[in-house]
Amino acid sequence: MIPSLVLRTWAKLLVPLTFLFSLWILYRGHNSPGGGFAGGILAATGVALYGLAYSVAEARKLLPAQPLALIGAGLGFSVLSGFVAYFYNRTFLTGIWNADLKIGTPLLFDIGVYLLVFGVLMQFALTFERRIGEEGE
Amino acid sequence: MNFDLTSLQPLLVLSCLALILGGAAAVRPRVAEGISWGLAAVSALMAVVIGLTPLGTRASVPWIPDWSVEWSLHITGLSRLFGLVVCGMGTFVFAYASRYLRDYERRGECIGLLAAFMVSMLGVVLAADLVTLFVAWELTSVTSFLLIGIERERESARRAAVQAFVVTGAGALAMLAGFVMIYQVAGTWRLDQIPDLSSHPSTPWIVGLVALGAMAKSAQVPFQFWLPSAMEAPTPVSAYLHSATMVKAGVFLLLTLGPILGKSLAWTPILATVGCLTALAGAHLAWQADDLKRILAGTTVSSLGLMVALVGLSKQLATGAVLVFLLGHCLYKGALFMVAGNFTFISGEKKASRLSGLGRAYPLLWASALVAELGLAGFGPVLAFVGKEVAFKAAPLSMLIALAVASPMLVACAWRLAFAPFLGPTPTGARPLPLAMLLPPVLLGAMSLAGGFAPTAIQSWLIDPVVGPGLKRFSVIPELDAALLATLLALGVGIWLALKTRPTNAVTLAERAYGSVVAWLRQTGESVRATTQDKPVRKRVLTVILVATTVLAIGFLADPSMVWPDLQLPTVPVLLVATLIFGGAVATVFAPTRISGIVSLGVTGLGLALLFLLMGAPDLAMTQLTVEIVTVVIFVLVFHHLPRIGYHATRSIRMRDAVAALVLAGFLTLALLSVTGRPDLARSAEFYAANSMPLALGKNVVNTIIVDFRAMDTLGEITVLAAAALGVTSLFGKSLAHKEEA
């Protein structure tokens, strides 16, 4: 961790902003630049920054679940979104859309990508940070 | 919404219910006992549904229509019989497991996996095409692996799990190759549409490959050793997977493909030989063992050998015998495993020779054990005996001799388990046996007897739809012929063996062979690693670069026809950005410290993002930018504590590295240019651009490609990412665990 007042203050401000921004990036991805991959990375940068400024323990508190659980949930989400098509007698991963709500299974798939990328990067960053934190002590 | 699975719908709904219940047990182990009862009820209901569904019911949904691959299930005579075995035994096993696993630490996980296994196994026996069959087959291997290794902190459990998985998995790969060959020859995956391939020239290959899969799964010689090791799993698992259902998948496969391949010249020699050898090896294994479950595993191997040999005969009578014997085997072997589990529950003993005096305190247990051992000994009014008598009638002389040698050893096992554990004074400290653990073996024994007295009912309901009409009616009253003589002889010799010999617990040759193959693989892997990886990082990277260069060079040599794209002169902004990237790269190479190197590398990344932006790819630019940021953060984290960079390498070594890097870069550039120049790829770009909105309802072409058009690729990529994260966790988490211990 880096005990810098400037970094810590900014980190507190930036984390909720990056989270919101990443969700927006995820949502707009279908029609404009963005998507689950970029969104997931963005969300991860915020938390990683927070972890650098404070500590791994503090950063972990920001996460809704363990990174490995996020990875599993993401992969599960993407796979399950593919199975929806079977209920419409289409094959695996065919996009199924609700025309009125403008919501379809590709968005569900992308949410899975978002969760997984976020979880993978968190797992990388937190594992390394924890190791360094412990070696530093 | 419209289901195409109309008539199999109840079964699918019940399967989903079983999976949900299993998941609930895994998440909430505290209520696992109740859930196990629920699963018993669900599987009983499934058995009823399977029994009532008319034969010929078929359901399918497309999977990969271009290759006519689909998910499909059907109910035939064979799948009904096996489906009843899977769900019927499931009922007893879940009822038994509810109480048996009550105090087990991993009960939730175990019951959840058992439910997952049941559904996978049902997929195997109901599969209507080769692809569905293969997928379900592999799922049973995976659940079996997890169940054998459920006590993962024990080394022997891990080894047994890996052994079973490696053996059955390798066999399944051979089987898959056989399936693909069947598809190439027959032009269809559907089991009901494949014609008789017996006379096709490539059929011997198909038979060999498919037989390998069946042999591995059904623990045939030389793969028989994995089954006794698999006894590491809790008893309900052994009773269900490793005696009643999963190990019979190989027999099921051979029965399924018998009509297609059975008249091939390769069929009978391979299967009859392997089956007879297995019958002998298994009986020997059982006779030598003292561990209760290993005895039972050995006898299971032997019975499976008999079944495979009979399927190999490719005769109507032999097939009928297999089916009757298979049903009888499930009933008595399931009961025996539960009795063995009860022994251990009562007295804590796992060795047969240390048990005694349980008869007075547990008369019903003794009764059920006796009935079950009649099946094992192959004599008496039980269903297995009926099957064995028919088998002896169907078998040619050579096979009869093999069976006559194997049978006494099985009789000896039956004798040892039937009397010694029950006779003598009642031991102190025996626990009372709960009803939920007593009733399943008693009921299985009762069914075994009932089947023995009414084999004709079973024959007309379950066997005739498989083998066709015209088979002689089975009967429990044996005819006075050579088969009966062989049985009586085996009985006498077996009892003599039981009284005169002691188990030696010998390690089999096959198991030792497996051990040395694994050791050799480890050694070879280590030496490969030592020659390519065990060096300074500089040389490791060089290895990677050289391999990549070689692959690309081979590619260009194989197809030298290079298509040059129409190159245009770069605009001024592009030139500026290119200069920035080049400058960043040069600065990285000559960076005096790690941090400055990372920052310089970041400059090339940012330049790349700018380039994407100029080329009209804002998506890529954005992703590149965020990736750059994260990479720099992670680099900083990792390099934070490393020592300062020192340039230890001599000038000539650095020159060598530079040349290698430049050659690879050159090849990459050529490859990129060549790919961009190909007209067919340009067409696919046009396709995506034109169809993004009409087909995928999205304006962002990049995104619709990622999440819709090529979602399957993305799924593969994110799976790789997840695996990488697991790799990092195990690499770094392990040393953490060591630290905590210290």
Side-chain angles (χ1 to χ4, degrees), chain B residues 538-552 656-665 667:
Chain B
R538 179 187 295 276
K539 285 199 179 169
R540 264 190 249 179
V541 176
L542 190 65
T543 313
V544 174
I545 287 179
L546 286 179
V547 170
T549 313
T550 317
V551 169
L552 282 170
R656 179 201 68 190
D657 292 351
V659 169
L662 286 173
V663 168
L664 178 63
F667 269 119

Side-chain angles (χ1 to χ4, degrees), chain B residues 256-396:
Chain B
T256 307
L257 298 179
I260 302 163
L261 307 169
K263 292 192 194 68
S264 156
L265 283 178
W267 183 265
T268 306
I270 294 181
L271 295 180
T273 314
V274 164
C276 285
L277 286 176
T278 309
L280 284 170
H284 185 252
L285 216 62
W287 174 49
Q288 294 285 303
D290 191 23
D291 183 285
L292 281 168
K293 286 170 69 185
R294 288 182 88 92
I295 296 176
L296 296 180
T299 62
T300 306
V301 170
S302 183
S303 306
L304 290 168
L306 171 64
M307 292 180 218
V308 167
L310 286 169
V311 179
L313 291 180
S314 196
K315 285 201 301 196
Q316 192 195 25
L317 187 64
T319 310
V322 174
L323 298 175
V324 183
F325 183 71
L326 186 140
L327 284 174
H329 178 259
C330 287
L331 295 175
Y332 82 75
K333 195 55 68 66
L336 276 178
F337 266 104
M338 290 173 184
V339 168
N342 288 350
F343 282 159
T344 311
F345 179 84
I346 293 166
S347 61
E349 274 302 334
K350 290 184 172 174
K351 299 259 188 268
S353 57
R354 295 210 197 129
L355 292 164
S356 73
L358 301 176
R360 206 178 299 265
Y362 310 98
L364 258 179
L365 183 64
W366 195 5
S368 66
L370 278 178
V371 171
E373 264 118 28
L374 286 180
L376 180 54
F379 190 75
V382 289
L383 193 57
F385 171 66
V386 177
K388 212 193 73 176
E389 283 299 292
V390 184
F392 275 24
K393 281 188 187 50

Side-chain angles (χ1 to χ4, degrees), chain B residues 87-459:
Chain B
C87 297
M89 282 306 292
T91 310
F92 288 101
V93 166
F94 280 118
Y96 183 79
S98 70
R99 184 61 185 81
Y100 183 86
L101 295 175
R102 182 191 275 173
D103 304 319
Y104 185 54
E105 183 194 0
R106 301 226 164 95
R107 56 189 177 278
E109 199 181 328
C110 189
I111 285 168
L113 284 169
L114 275 173
F117 166 77
M118 180 173 75
V119 175
S120 319
M121 191 65 212
L122 212 54
V124 171
V125 300
L126 296 185
D129 68 283
L130 294 171
V131 178
T132 309
L133 176 64
F134 176 77
V135 172
W137 181 284
E138 289 293 58
L139 285 176
T140 64
S141 287
V142 171
T143 40
S144 161
F145 166 78
L146 293 171
L147 281 165
I148 297 170
I150 195 162
E151 287 164 25
R152 44 194 168 265
E153 58 285 335
R154 285 194 298 116
E155 213 241 322
S156 57
R158 290 201 300 273
R159 199 177 45 217
V162 171
Q163 194 179 57
F165 191 68
V166 166
V167 172
T168 55
L173 282 181
M175 183 182 85
L176 179 63
F179 283 2
V180 172
M181 285 180 77
I182 292 179
Y183 175 68
Q184 285 173 337
V185 173
T188 176
W189 301 104
R190 279 181 61 163
L191 287 170
D192 55 347
Q193 289 180 346
I194 301 173
D196 189 341
L197 303 175
S198 298
S199 50
H200 196 274
S202 46
T203 300
W205 286 97
I206 299 176
V207 170
L209 290 167
V210 168
L212 272 178
M215 283 158 62
K217 195 80 164 176
S218 285
Q220 300 294 300
V221 168
F223 308 116
Q224 81 281 20
F225 55 89
W226 75 260
L227 190 56
S229 311
M231 295 297 122
E232 291 283 344
T235 301
V237 176
S238 311
Y240 194 32
L241 275 71
H242 304 124
S243 89
T245 54
M246 191 188 85
V247 289
K248 299 218 169 78
V251 179
F252 170 79
L253 178 74
L254 296 174
L255 284 168
T256 307
L257 298 179
I260 302 163
L261 307 169
K263 292 192 194 68
S264 156
L265 283 178
W267 183 265
T268 306
I270 294 181
L271 295 180
T273 314
V274 164
C276 285
L277 286 176
T278 309
L280 284 170
H284 185 252
L285 216 62
W287 174 49
Q288 294 285 303
D290 191 23
D291 183 285
L292 281 168
K293 286 170 69 185
R294 288 182 88 92
I295 296 176
L296 296 180
T299 62
T300 306
V301 170
S302 183
S303 306
L304 290 168
L306 171 64
M307 292 180 218
V308 167
L310 286 169
V311 179
L313 291 180
S314 196
K315 285 201 301 196
Q316 192 195 25
L317 187 64
T319 310
V322 174
L323 298 175
V324 183
F325 183 71
L326 186 140
L327 284 174
H329 178 259
C330 287
L331 295 175
Y332 82 75
K333 195 55 68 66
L336 276 178
F337 266 104
M338 290 173 184
V339 168
N342 288 350
F343 282 159
T344 311
F345 179 84
I346 293 166
S347 61
E349 274 302 334
K350 290 184 172 174
K351 299 259 188 268
S353 57
R354 295 210 197 129
L355 292 164
S356 73
L358 301 176
R360 206 178 299 265
Y362 310 98
L364 258 179
L365 183 64
W366 195 5
S368 66
L370 278 178
V371 171
E373 264 118 28
L374 286 180
L376 180 54
F379 190 75
V382 289
L383 193 57
F385 171 66
V386 177
K388 212 193 73 176
E389 283 299 292
V390 184
F392 275 24
K393 281 188 187 50
L397 186 67
S398 52
M399 195 185 277
L400 213 52
I401 292 171
L403 296 178
V405 178
S407 300
M409 295 191 262
L410 299 181
V411 173
C413 295
W415 185 270
R416 265 201 257 143
L417 294 177
F419 296 107
F422 294 101
L423 296 175
T426 310
T428 50
R431 298 159 76 181
L433 193 61
L435 204 59
M437 289 170 66
L438 180 62
L439 270 186
V442 170
L443 286 176
L444 284 172
M447 284 168 72
S448 185
L449 277 176
F453 281 111
T456 43
I458 292 174
Q459 192 178 11

Side-chain angles (χ1 to χ4, degrees), chain A residues 1-2 25 28-38 41-42 44-45 48-49 52 68 71 74-75 78-79 83 86-95 97 105-107 109-110 112-113 116-117 119-121 123-136, chain B residues 1-4 60-65 71 618-619 622-623 626-627 629-630 633-634 636-641 692-693 695-701 703-704 706-708 710-715 717-719 721-726 728-729 731-733 735-736 739-740:
Chain A
M1 68 185 116
I2 302 166
I25 292 281
R28 77 199 284 268
H30 200 62
N31 288 318
S32 332
F37 196 81
I41 299 173
L42 209 59
T45 34
L49 183 71
L52 269 182
L68 282 179
I71 294 172
L75 204 54
S78 293
V79 171
F83 279 110
Y86 282 127
F87 292 97
Y88 294 83
N89 210 13
R90 301 282 175 76
T91 103
F92 189 55
L93 280 172
T94 311
W97 286 88
T105 53
L107 181 63
F109 184 85
D110 222 10
V113 174
L116 183 129
V117 169
V120 166
L121 285 169
Q123 185 67 15
F124 284 170
L126 294 185
T127 313
F128 291 138
E129 267 176 318
R130 182 172 54 187
R131 235 172 115 73
I132 286 156
E134 283 180 1
E135 277 163 9
Chain B
M1 261 172 54
N2 58 65
F3 271 109
D4 188 25
S60 67
V61 280
W63 180 13
I64 313 175
W71 299 109
D619 277 272
M622 193 157 100
T623 312
T626 41
V627 167
I629 294 168
V630 169
V633 169
I634 290 184
V636 168
L637 286 173
V638 179
F639 287 170
H640 196 57
H641 280 253
S692 175
M693 201 56 207
L695 286 183
L697 306 177
K699 290 196 199 90
N700 180 356
V701 183
N703 196 263
T704 54
I706 291 176
V707 300
D708 200 327
R710 307 214 54 94
M712 196 71 185
D713 293 358
T714 311
L715 193 59
E717 282 154 15
I718 61 177
T719 311
L721 261 185
L726 287 178
V728 166
T729 312
L731 276 178
F732 289 83
S735 61
L736 265 181
K739 214 173 267 176
E740 276 159 18

